[in-house]
């Protein structure tokens, strides 16, 4: 698929996450007692390899299975078949009690700034939750440190989530994810619900933290331009499959798969618009391809 | 659609079977020996034993259960231990009476609740809406039997317009039937109507906040037209649920009204059965009530499908 | 179909509608206990050989006359020759023999015991019956006026519970269960024909509903007033007549005499003296009823006013209870769920507590729960119930009954009364009644009144209700 | 409390105008007030006039407004998933739009509905479908068909594609533009996506804090922004920048009613001075101009 | 800020008054509520007896005061039983997999087929009529509505990303139920509880009317109403006072429920 030739440096970098032929079927509610329940093939055999320290993007349209893939990587859901190997451990079928190291090393940031924080908990307790659960001493010190790291004042800890704006909530989510000092940060559409100005703030924050803490980032978005800005490499998903993987610049500039081509051309950009592109142009390329 | 029907029917039948076991088991643990109650306290033990044998109460419980169930399936509800008459026709008669009452009550309740609730929701910030709300709040707070007593005092005893109590089958004297039905149906219906009004109100309020109602108005429908054409059917879905539940409660809740108005319905049959320890009768009545409730829920389920195309799995 | 016949015009001239309280569960009093069935059927559908008149005297019915042998063990009855059952069979001495024997064989209720004294019943001719007793018994002939004396047709006992066949002035017509029983005049009755063509007995569980039914003209007569307080609305209205007389229903505050506490006569007397009967009657039954002081209603020949035996005296009551050690103890007053018990129980509790007892009321569903718990198992300390059977003194106060009252002296008086002649009977019964009162075997709160309200036009309603049956044949307009 | 104030906007016949601004800046309220569909506890003041309608729209009674809605002005809402009645067939919902205004009789309305569906590239079977059987993009196209049913003089679209995928968005945007161009209707297009506005519209209005802070032709505003807010927005949405860090606007959008007096943007503006405590006057013409004391591109920048 | 709405205030005040009345009745009532005093029977309302006296000469006001204890007891027991069974059941049904959940909800529906009054009468027959048994029965009959409401609320909570985040942090199901689900359905529980309370009060009144409720002489509004029946024409006030007390109590709890519902309603909330 990708024509990029790996450098020796890349080959030497250890793998953070490896996904092998992952399949996940969801049963739909039965319509009949006599026939087998229909299934949704959310993932139809996905394979990936993400190197340590990499910023890896996943793009695809709604319902293509991005979140499902992330849930499986985070062992929040069970695969129908296939394997997920995180830092040399096959976590696919590990029981919950043996996932402790995964829970410490891999954390998530979610899309919805409204529903990703428990409205009945103080921000302090939200951020400390992973620490408490994993038996770390939940010192106020660490919470203050984390709040500061995401650019919130220390007194924010005493307040409740609804007292914050969307962007600030997303910062709280990030602080929570960073609490157990993970090595891998997974972000599922973390900026899709935010305004442009706030989006820029949050993207900057994630970028800075990934650099500072030397994290592996898996970043999911439906917006190819965002992924292009944040990530080094990208996988394009469509209908439960990965149709193209490559360096973001390459994929963006010269999409190989017809789906990717359609996707790229459909993105309206200011530059193109100002140089006279119309709505018809958004369609044209994809259709011709 | 068909599949859903089959599935619902399956659930209905299984529920019915489980209920029958529950009801039977419950009766089995009820203290008080039916034979002894029937014979009086000083009856000799032999006489009691003889009667138990006659009724088949000496057989193992599973045998008794299956016999009973078998009878039920053939429409034979057995013979009362106490009155020694067939229970089936009796229960059927009483059920008819209660059904008349409940249905009339329900119609009154709906006739009150549908317009009142809609108006309350549509004008929930206006004086008229608030006044109606307050009125329904008070209605909900009045026990049905108290409403019945008040109605009797005013319309039967003081004004003498309607009979205070009693029951005449419609076939015997339709005019009298109607006259005697009015007050009990009102006391049942007004109170239930007040309860229902609140559900209608909140269902309509919910619908009023829906986007599609705004779409309808953006098309050029006036607020009331939009509510009528697009809102009511959607509001009906939650209301139907409540209606189903209410109908269930009414069937047995009518017992109090039956008492106040001296109506020979299923409720009073049940109370008599309990106090006479006419166990088989109680068992049958409870089973019929449960059947009625399950049946109503079953129908409500189907009604949903008629109301809401989203439930029609293709 | 179910339902009642009548709404707006319960009357018509030939029709009458009577409101009653307790609906029978079955029509068969040979196997089902309770007062409701004989109230309807006895005397109206079934007749007895002899019956009681208004003053309590035993008079002829299906027997024109009878003689008693000198040893008072053999009774010979001359029967009427023109009585006919509603199944068109003639009433003969054979039916009488059949009926008497059947009590011993087929009856299952406790009352059948009254027939144990009969050693043989024989038809001397179609109109002559001879009954031989094992020992003289005054009580036996009296019992023959009650339900066990009912005469059945040999070929009419197949469906007693639903289709009674008798020789009386009325025929059972229809039963709308849960609502009413309809009786129609037996036009081929051998005696004086009743006035009303059809009498409907309507049952009301609720006292207020019963009153309302009369007020709105659904019924013509309230057979038993259960809400005496509400009577004023009828007394003040000249459309109605109110009848007040006596019954056989002694409202008894019973003690469980088998308990150590109640074995002490001071406890029993203390309780009797702690109760202000006048105040009690006034508060819980609107002052309607009669204070009797023992187990005998004024309509019995051996009645004496015994209210003076244990007069209300709070101070004395307190000291008696103190002396017996009952003071401060908690007694369970287990009440059946009936209007007068619920009402009077609260007064009894309040009054006893003023005398230093603690009383815990708990209600048992009547009949089932109360019968099993109190009546059969005697699992109670005190209870209240009206004993409505006639001449039931002996039946109530003995060691086997729920009162668990074991008193050989009393039994001696009773035996003497049963076997002696008329004068001896009266004398011994008086002694027995006084003994009960002095020993405080229970406390007789009051005698239930016979309270009826009816449309002014209804005639022939009995002042006193001393028999088991409600005689419909004398009613007229 | 004033949620939106001093908004003046003019849309010429056949013109496509964009209204942009961050969430909570009052775009939807502006649109709804034109249609007279504001939430109950919100009231509009001022004046809205439509060519061909001889009365004032603000404060007009329901009877008169309902004649205008759906016929002269139509609207496409943001949420395609909830904008359609779930218990009514799609065809009936479209036909209804024509029947209400008696533009067509019943049988004709049905064929017209099929025709409309065809124009938004949906098969005729869609007529008999219920909304839940359609995808988000399909539903939004139904809503569009419904809005175009009576050839409105003005079509208002409130973020019609935010809930859709890019490829579907492309299709819907194209259908909207074609729809209004074919009918030479005016379009008021609300979005927070600058690129979309630039692609769809000819002219743009920038809103912040319930006020229009800048207006002008798309090419003008997006290449030479004058208001500092517009400038900030453009910078923040530029993901093409080669540096890892994006330019941001400091701070957050205040909640409704908490905007500062004077220039609403001054609390987040790097150029704010004491002067900004006074409401900046509108500089320029009715269709083109800005309201800023320290506009960009003047030299001190 | 959340606004206090009129229903909430009115409901709160009524309920507070009832609770206060019940508390005061433990230490003080104008008269002994159960003392029979024949001399003062059926007195009209006056300065010494504000609400008059009943046929036993008992002070009606005192009885109403003590009766409020019964009313609260009834509600607390019924709602307590319903909540203690219904809430965990609802949460469980939301958290377990589809099949067990389906079974729980079906069993729940089945219980719905045994209406409150029916259960209460049958319980009364088995365990003896007392306020407690009646109310346990009413409570059990209210389990389904609790379980349903809580389940749908809990399902919503289970779908939120903060639950996913908690799982990702390593929280086990039980702590999630306790720390995340339960706190977030408390508003639903409160609303449902106040509504069930009102229903229980009505049910107790109906049962007392039928003779299956609170046994005498414990004052209960329902029984007062039942006892007052024979005085409907001569002393209607005996029916009016307890009748109004019942109506006001039910009104109070319903208003409280409505008020809480409005207060917790996200649709009304996010306008602010
Ligand atoms: N728990 C579930 N049960 C049944 N189906 C599911 C479940 N979760 C996801 N699916 C289905 O699996 C498919 C992929 O879902 P997923 O959430 O992974 O998509 P996505 O790419 O994250 O979409 P979005 O951009 O909307 O978040 C969808 O069709 C969805 O309906
Ligand atoms: N009914 C209402 N009552 C009070 N405030 C409201 C109401 N409706 C909207 N608002 C407030 O008015 C402000 C402007 O709202 P509006 O919906 O017009 O914003 P918008 O620009 O369309 O935002 P979005 O992009 O999120 O749709 C917001 O702060 C909103 O909270
Ligand atoms: Mg997703
Ligand atoms: Mg908006």
């Amino acid at each position: 698929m990708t024509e990029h030739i790996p450098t020796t440096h890349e080959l030497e970098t250890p793998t953070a996450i490896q996904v092998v032929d992952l399949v996940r079927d969801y049963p739909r509610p039965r319509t009949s007692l006599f026939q087998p329940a229909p299934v949704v093939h959310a993932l139809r055999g996905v394979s990936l390899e993400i190197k340590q320290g990499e910023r890896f993007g996943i793009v695809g349209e709604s319902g293509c299975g991005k979140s499902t893939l992330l849930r499986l990587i985070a062992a929040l859901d069970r695969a129908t078949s296939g394997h997920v190997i995180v830092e040399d451990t096959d976590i696919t079928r590990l029981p919950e009690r043996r996932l402790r190291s995964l829970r410490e090393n891999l954390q998530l940031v979610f899309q919805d700034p409204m529903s990703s924080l428990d409205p009945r908990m103080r921000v302090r307790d939200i951020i400390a939750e992973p620490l408490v659960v994993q038996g770390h001493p939940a010192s106020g010190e660490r919470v203050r440190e984390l709040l500061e790291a995401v650019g919130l004042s220390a007194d924010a800890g005493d307040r409740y989530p609804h007292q914050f704006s969307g962007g600030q909530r997303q910062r709280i989510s990030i602080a929570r994810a960073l609490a157990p000092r993970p090595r891998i940060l997974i972000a599922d559409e973390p900026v899709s619900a935010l305004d442009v100005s706030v989006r820029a703030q949050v993207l900057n924050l994630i970028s800075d933290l990934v650099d500072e803490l030397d994290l592996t980032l898996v970043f999911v978005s439906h917006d190819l331009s965002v992924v292009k800005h944040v990530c080094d490499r990208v996988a394009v998903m469509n209908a439960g499959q990965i149709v193209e993987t490559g360096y973001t610049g390459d994929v963006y500039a010269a999409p190989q798969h017809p789906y990717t081509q359609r996707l790229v051309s459909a993105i309206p950009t200011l530059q193109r618009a100002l140089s006279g592109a119309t709505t018809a142009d958004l369609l044209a390329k994809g259709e011709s391809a | 659609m068909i599949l859903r029907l089959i599935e619902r029917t399956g659930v209905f039948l299984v529920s019915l079977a489980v209920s029958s076991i529950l009801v039977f088991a419950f009766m089995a643990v009820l203290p008080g020996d039916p034979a002894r109650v029937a014979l009086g306290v000083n009856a000799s033990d032999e006489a009691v034993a003889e009667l138990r044998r006659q009724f088949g109460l000496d057989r193992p419980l599973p045998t008794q259960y299956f016999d009973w169930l078998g009878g039920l399936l053939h429409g034979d509800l057995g013979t009362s231990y106490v009155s020694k008459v067939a229970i089936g026709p009796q229960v059927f008669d009483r059920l008819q009476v209660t059904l008349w009452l409940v249905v009339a009550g329900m119609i009154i309740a709906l006739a009150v609740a549908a317009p009142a609730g809609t108006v309350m929701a549509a004008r929930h910030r206006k004086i008229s809406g608030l006044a109606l709300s307050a009125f329904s709040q008070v209605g909900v707070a009045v026990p049905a039997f108290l409403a019945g007593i008040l109605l009797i005092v005013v319309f039967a005893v003081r004004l003498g317009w309607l009979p205070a109590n009693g029951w005449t089958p419609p076939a015997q004297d339709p005019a009298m039937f109607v006259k005697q039905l009015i007050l009990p149906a009102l006391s049942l219906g007004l109170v239930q109507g007040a309860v229902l009004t609140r559900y209608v109100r909140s269902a309509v309020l919910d619908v009023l906040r829906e986007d599609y109602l705004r779409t309808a108005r953006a098309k050029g429908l006036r607020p009331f037209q939009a509510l009528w054409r697009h809102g009511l059917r959607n509001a009906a879905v939650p209301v139907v649920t409540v209606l189903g539940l209410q109908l269930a409660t009414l069937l047995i809740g009518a017992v109090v009204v039956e008492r106040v108005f001296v109506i020979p319905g299923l409720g009073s049959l049940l109370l008599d059965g309990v106090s006479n320890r006419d166990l088989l009768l109680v068992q049958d009545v409870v089973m019929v009530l449960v059947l009625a409730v399950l049946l109503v829920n079953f129908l409500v389920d189907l009604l949903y499908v008629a109301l809401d195309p989203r439930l029609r799995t293709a | 179909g179910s339902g009642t016949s009548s709404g707006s015009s319960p009357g018509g001239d030939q029709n009458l509608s009577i409101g009653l309280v307790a609906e029978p569960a079955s029509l068969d009093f040979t196997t089902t206990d309770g007062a409701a069935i004989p109230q309807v059927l006895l005397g109206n559908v079934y007749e007895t050989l002899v019956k009681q008149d208004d003053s309590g005297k035993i008079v002829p019915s299906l027997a024109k006359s009878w003689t008693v042998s000198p040893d008072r063990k053999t009774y010979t009855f001359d029967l009427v020759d023109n009585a006919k059952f509603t199944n068109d069979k003639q009433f003969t001495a054979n039916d009488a023999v059949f009926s008497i024997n059947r009590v011993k064989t087929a009856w299952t209720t406790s009352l059948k015991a009254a027939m144990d004294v009969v050693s043989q019943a024989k038809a001397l001719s179609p109109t002559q019956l001879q009954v031989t007793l094992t020992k003289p018994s005054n009580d036996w002939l009296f019992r023959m006026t009650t339900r066990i004396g009912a005469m059945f047709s040999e070929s009419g006992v197949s469906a007693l519970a639903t289709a009674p066949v008798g020789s009386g002035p009325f025929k059972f017509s229809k039963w709308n269960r849960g609502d009413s029983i309809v009786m129609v005049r037996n036009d081929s009755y051998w005696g004086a024909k009743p006035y009303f063509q059809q009498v409907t007995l309507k049952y009301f569980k609720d006292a207020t509903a019963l009153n309302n039914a009369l007020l709105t003209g659904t019924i013509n007569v309230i057979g038993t007033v259960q809400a005496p307080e509400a009577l004023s609305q009828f007394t003040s209205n000249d459309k109605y007549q109110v009848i007040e007389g006596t019954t056989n229903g002694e409202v008894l505050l019973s003690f469980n005499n088998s308990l150590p506490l109640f074995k002490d006569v001071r406890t029993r007397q203390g309780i009797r003296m702690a109760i202000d009967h006048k105040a009690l009657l006034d508060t819980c039954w609107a002052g309607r009823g009669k204070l009797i002081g023992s187990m005998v209603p004024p309509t019995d020949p051996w009645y004496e006013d015994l209210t003076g035996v244990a007069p209300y005296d709070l101070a004395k009551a307190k000291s008696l209870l103190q002396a017996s050690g009952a003071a401060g103890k908690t007694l369970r007053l287990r009440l059946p769920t009936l209007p007068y018990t619920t009402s009077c129980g609260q007064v009894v509790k309040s009054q006893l507590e003023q005398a230093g007892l603690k009383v815990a009321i708990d209600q048992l569903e009547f009949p089932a729960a109360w019968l099993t718990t109190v009546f059969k198992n005697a699992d109670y300390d005190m209870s209240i119930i009206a004993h409505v059977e006639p001449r039931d003194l002996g039946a109530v106060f003995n060691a086997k009954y729920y009162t668990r009252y074991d008193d050989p002296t009393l039994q001696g008086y009773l035996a003497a009364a049963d076997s002696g002649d008329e004068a001896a009977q009266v004398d011994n019964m008086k002694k027995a009644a006084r003994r009960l009162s002095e020993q405080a075997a229970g406390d007789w709160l009051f005698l239930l009144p016979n309270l009826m309200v009816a449309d002014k036009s209804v005639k022939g309603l009995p002042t006193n209700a001393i028999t088991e049956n409600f005689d419909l044949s004398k009613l007229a307009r | 409390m004033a949620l939106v104030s001093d908004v003046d906007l003019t849309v010429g016949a056949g013109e496509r105008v964009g209204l942009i601004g961050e969430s909570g800046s009052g775009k939807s309220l502006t649109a709804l007030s034109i249609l007279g569909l504001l939430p109950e506890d919100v009231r509009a003041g001022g004046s809205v006039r439509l060519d061909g309608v001889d009365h004032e729209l603000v404060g007009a009674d329901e009877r008169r407004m309902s004649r205008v809605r759906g016929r002269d002005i139509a609207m496409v809402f943001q949420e395609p998933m909830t904008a359609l009645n779930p218990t009514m067939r799609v065809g009936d919902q479209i036909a209804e739009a024509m029947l209400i205004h008696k533009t067509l009789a019943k049988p004709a309305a049905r064929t017209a509905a099929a025709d409309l569906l065809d124009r938004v590239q949906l098969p005729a079977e869609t007529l008999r479908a219920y909304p839940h059987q359609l995808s988000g993009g399909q539903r939004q196209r139904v809503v569009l068909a419904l809005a175009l049913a009576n050839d409105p003089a003005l079509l208002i679209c409130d973020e019609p594609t935010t809930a859709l995928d890019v490829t579907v968005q492309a299709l819907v945007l194209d259908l909207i533009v074609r729809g209004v161009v074919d009918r030479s209707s005016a379009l008021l297009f609300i979005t927070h996506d600058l690129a979309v506005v630039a692609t769809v519209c000819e002219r743009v209005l920038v809103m912040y804090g319930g006020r229009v802070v800048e207006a002008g032709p798309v090419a003008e505003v997006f290449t030479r922004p004058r208001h500092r807010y517009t400038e900030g927005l453009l910078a923040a949405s530029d993901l093409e920048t080669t540096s890892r860090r994006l330019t941001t606007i400091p701070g957050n959008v205040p909640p409704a009613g908490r905007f500062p007096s004077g220039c609403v943007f001054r609390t987040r503006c790097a150029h704010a001075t004491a002067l900004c405590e006074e409401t900046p006057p509108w500089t320029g013409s009715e269709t083109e101009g800005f309201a800023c004391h320290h506009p960009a591109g003047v030299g001190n920048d | 800020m959340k606004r206090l709405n009129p229903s909430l205030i009115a409901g709160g005040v009524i309920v507070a008054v009832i609770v206060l009345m019940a508390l005061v009745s433990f230490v003080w009532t104008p008269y002994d509520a159960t003392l029979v005093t024949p001399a003062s029977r059926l007195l009209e309302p006056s300065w010494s007896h504000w609400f008059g006296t009943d046929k036993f000469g008992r002070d009606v006001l005192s009885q109403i005061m003590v009766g409020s204890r019964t009313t609260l007891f009834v509600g607390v027991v019924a709602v307590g039983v319903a909540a203690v069974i219904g809430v965990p059941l609802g949460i469980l049904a939301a958290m377990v997999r589809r099949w067990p959940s389906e079974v729980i909800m079906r069993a729940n529906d089945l219980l719905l087929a045994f209406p409150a009054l029916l259960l209460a009468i049958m319980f009364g027959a088995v365990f003896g009529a007392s306020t407690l048994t009646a109310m346990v029965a009413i409570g059990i009959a209210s389990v389904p509505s609790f379980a349903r409401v809580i389940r749908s609320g809990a399902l919503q909570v289970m779908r939120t990303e903060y639950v996913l985040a908690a799982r990702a942090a390593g929280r086990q199901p039980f702590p999630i139920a306790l720390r995340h689900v339960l706190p977030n359905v408390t508003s639903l529980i409160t609303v449902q509880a106040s509504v069930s309370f009102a229903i229980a009060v009505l049910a107790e009144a109906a049962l007392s009317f039928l003779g299956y409720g609170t046994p005498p002489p414990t004052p209960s509004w329902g029984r007062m109403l039942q006892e007052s029946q024979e005085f409907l024409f001569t002393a209607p006030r005996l029916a009016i006072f307890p009748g109004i007390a019942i109506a006001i109590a039910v009104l109070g709890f319903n208003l409280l429920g409505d008020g809480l519902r409005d207060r917790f309603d996200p649709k009304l909330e996010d306008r602010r």
Side-chain angles (χ1 to χ4, degrees), chain B residues 39 42 83 85 94 167 169 272, chain C residues 2 4 25 108 110 162 177 205 209:
Chain B
L39 289 180
N42 277 13
S83 63
V85 294
R94 301 292 194 100
W167 180 263
D272 287 355
Chain C
S2 64
T4 145
T108 55
S110 57
T162 49
R177 281 170 196 277
K205 285 208 187 54

Side-chain angles (χ1 to χ4, degrees), chain C residues 397-408:
Chain C
F397 291 96
N398 64 57
K400 286 199 204 111
Y401 213 58
Y402 78 109
T403 54
R404 298 288 193 266
Y405 185 67
D406 191 5
D407 182 356

